Amino acid sequence: MKYLIILFFGIWVSCNSVNAQKDTNGHSKHPSLYILGTIQDGGSPHIGCQKSCCEGLFKNPDPTRKVVSLGVVDHRNQKSYLFEATPDLPSQLKLLKERSNLNQEVPDGIFITHAHIGHYTGLMYLGRESLGSKRVPVYAMPKMKRFLETNGPWSQLVKLNNISIQSIQNEKTIQLTQDLSVIPFTVSHRDEYSETVGFKIIGPNKSVLFIPDIDKWSKWEKDILNEIKAVDLAFLDATFFDGPEINSRNIAEIPHPFVVESIELLKDLPQVEKSKVYFIHFNHTNPLLDTTSPAYKIVIDSGFNMATFGSRFKL
């Protein structure tokens, strides 16, 4: 009997080792997308906030409340990329390093959507006061590129070769590896210092739409319904759930599609299309940050999803 137990245990270990190897190989053959942050630019808790949504977080911070960012890893070609350089860049880069299993502290490229504080200011950590990096590729549209090159302290990053700005163009494909490409596209937003883009991220098996910031879907020359149908996953602007949520600010100063508006606009999509949608870029006041809230239930019951920190999607 003892020998049968030993034999069985040996077979069990062998089978599980094979399965683990298969999982590892499968992981290495397919690019992966990781959610490294889901919060709007100002973070959560938010500076100056006296509401209940922030009160407890100032005393007990939630480590998952990081500003919106995606990490993409091409495991087979041993490359990693970051989408957005947020104020949470140090911890997000460390997480990307862990997920990529690569021995490098910085990615092979950083893609920037626009010049609002939650999307580019993390570049400061690459400078001489911090990492002192060497020629990290930063992919930027023409106005964004010019903004970084001609305004301090960002221009110092260029001058000291901490970053190397890679020019990108609207609707022009960037081939990163044989398995991974990216297409930037302009969207309507508050373009005080730069244009604003979203990105289509294309892997060998799946494609992703990433639009963390846009004014209103009606202001975009494209039809968001058709754009969702053309991809496998869509991470869309969900800054505010509805109007009453921001009664202390002028909405004209911070236009975004309310989640309730997006739900109404997308309500007639087949469920297979709705399930592609993951809302992201939540303001600190957004009730969707509370998974027990009625708002959260409305989104889920309507057939949509919420982006969650740390999630992985195979590309």
Side-chain angles (χ1 to χ4, degrees):
M1 182 66 178
K2 181 174 80 171
Y3 296 109
L4 285 174
I5 292 173
I6 293 172
L7 178 61
F8 176 79
F9 180 77
I11 293 172
W12 182 85
V13 170
S14 175
C15 288
N16 279 275
S17 296
V18 170
N19 288 336
Q21 186 65 35
K22 285 180 180 179
D23 288 342
T24 301
N25 287 342
H27 185 96
S28 65
K29 288 180 180 178
H30 299 286
S32 299
L33 181 150
Y34 298 94
I35 306 297
L36 303 182
T38 64
I39 306 299
Q40 184 265 354
D41 303 39
S44 175
H46 194 280
I47 184 171
C49 180
Q50 298 180 1
K51 298 180 179 181
S52 59
C53 58
C54 295
E55 184 179 9
L57 291 172
F58 279 114
K59 296 179 181 178
N60 298 293
D62 181 346
T64 69
R65 297 280 182 104
K66 298 188 186 300
V67 177
V68 67
S69 177
L70 305 180
V72 174
V73 180
D74 185 337
H75 301 283
R76 181 168 71 166
N77 294 294
Q78 297 189 314
K79 300 287 185 181
S80 66
Y81 301 91
L82 186 72
F83 288 78
E84 308 292 36
T86 83
D88 293 316
L89 187 82
S91 61
Q92 289 170 327
L93 285 187
K94 190 62 71 173
L95 183 59
L96 181 59
K97 178 185 177 182
E98 293 172 0
R99 295 296 182 266
S100 68
N101 200 30
L102 299 173
N103 188 29
Q104 58 188 49
E105 296 296 334
V106 295
D108 295 283
I110 299 175
F111 287 82
I112 306 294
T113 58
H114 64 301
H116 284 164
I117 65 169
H119 302 263
Y120 82 98
T121 57
L123 294 174
M124 64 186 173
Y125 291 108
L126 302 180
R128 65 173 14 156
E129 300 90 346
S130 193
L131 184 62
S133 61
K134 302 299 182 184
R135 301 187 66 81
V136 176
V138 173
Y139 292 83
M141 292 285 284
K143 290 181 181 179
M144 185 77 223
K145 178 176 183 289
R146 186 162 58 251
F147 174 78
L148 294 173
E149 291 174 336
T150 59
N151 291 276
W154 322 108
S155 55
Q156 182 173 274
L157 297 173
V158 179
K159 181 180 179 180
L160 297 181
N161 291 315
N162 299 130
I163 64 175
S164 174
I165 302 180
Q166 309 296 305
S167 298
I168 60 177
Q169 299 291 331
N170 183 41
E171 301 287 355
K172 299 294 184 182
T173 301
I174 305 117
Q175 194 69 43
L176 297 174
T177 71
Q178 65 190 72
D179 293 330
L180 196 61
S181 60
V182 174
I183 303 174
F185 52 86
T186 56
V187 298
S188 173
H189 195 44
R190 295 177 292 114
D191 297 337
E192 301 97 334
Y193 301 111
S194 76
E195 60 276 274
T196 302
V197 296
F199 291 108
K200 184 178 287 187
I201 306 165
I202 304 168
N205 300 303
K206 291 185 178 180
S207 58
V208 175
L209 197 67
F210 179 48
I211 307 177
D213 274 285
I214 193 169
D215 284 349
K216 293 290 183 181
W217 298 118
S218 59
K219 292 186 177 182
W220 195 24
E221 69 273 13
K222 296 185 179 183
D223 185 338
I224 184 57
L225 282 78
N226 291 333
E227 296 303 310
I228 291 171
K229 293 175 183 178
V231 296
D232 298 285
L233 296 164
F235 296 96
L236 305 182
D237 184 344
T239 307
F240 304 114
F241 182 73
D242 58 17
E245 175 192 338
I246 50 169
N247 55 16
S248 62
R249 293 284 299 274
N250 180 0
I251 186 57
E253 297 176 352
I254 44 174
H256 291 273
F258 297 139
V259 172
V260 291
E261 294 174 335
S262 295
I263 290 175
E264 178 65 22
L265 178 63
L266 307 177
K267 68 179 182 180
D268 292 328
L269 282 174
Q271 181 53 44
V272 67
E273 302 296 338
K274 289 181 180 179
S275 65
K276 297 176 180 180
V277 174
Y278 287 76
F279 289 113
I280 199 168
H281 195 266
F282 307 111
N283 195 55
H284 67 289
T285 57
N286 197 318
L288 296 180
L289 290 170
D290 178 3
T291 58
T292 66
S293 69
Y296 190 95
K297 187 175 188 301
I298 288 172
V299 172
I300 298 302
D301 289 349
S302 298
F304 303 101
N305 303 289
M306 241 72 67
T308 56
F309 176 77
S311 298
R312 174 194 173 209
F313 300 84
K314 292 182 181 180
L315 300 179

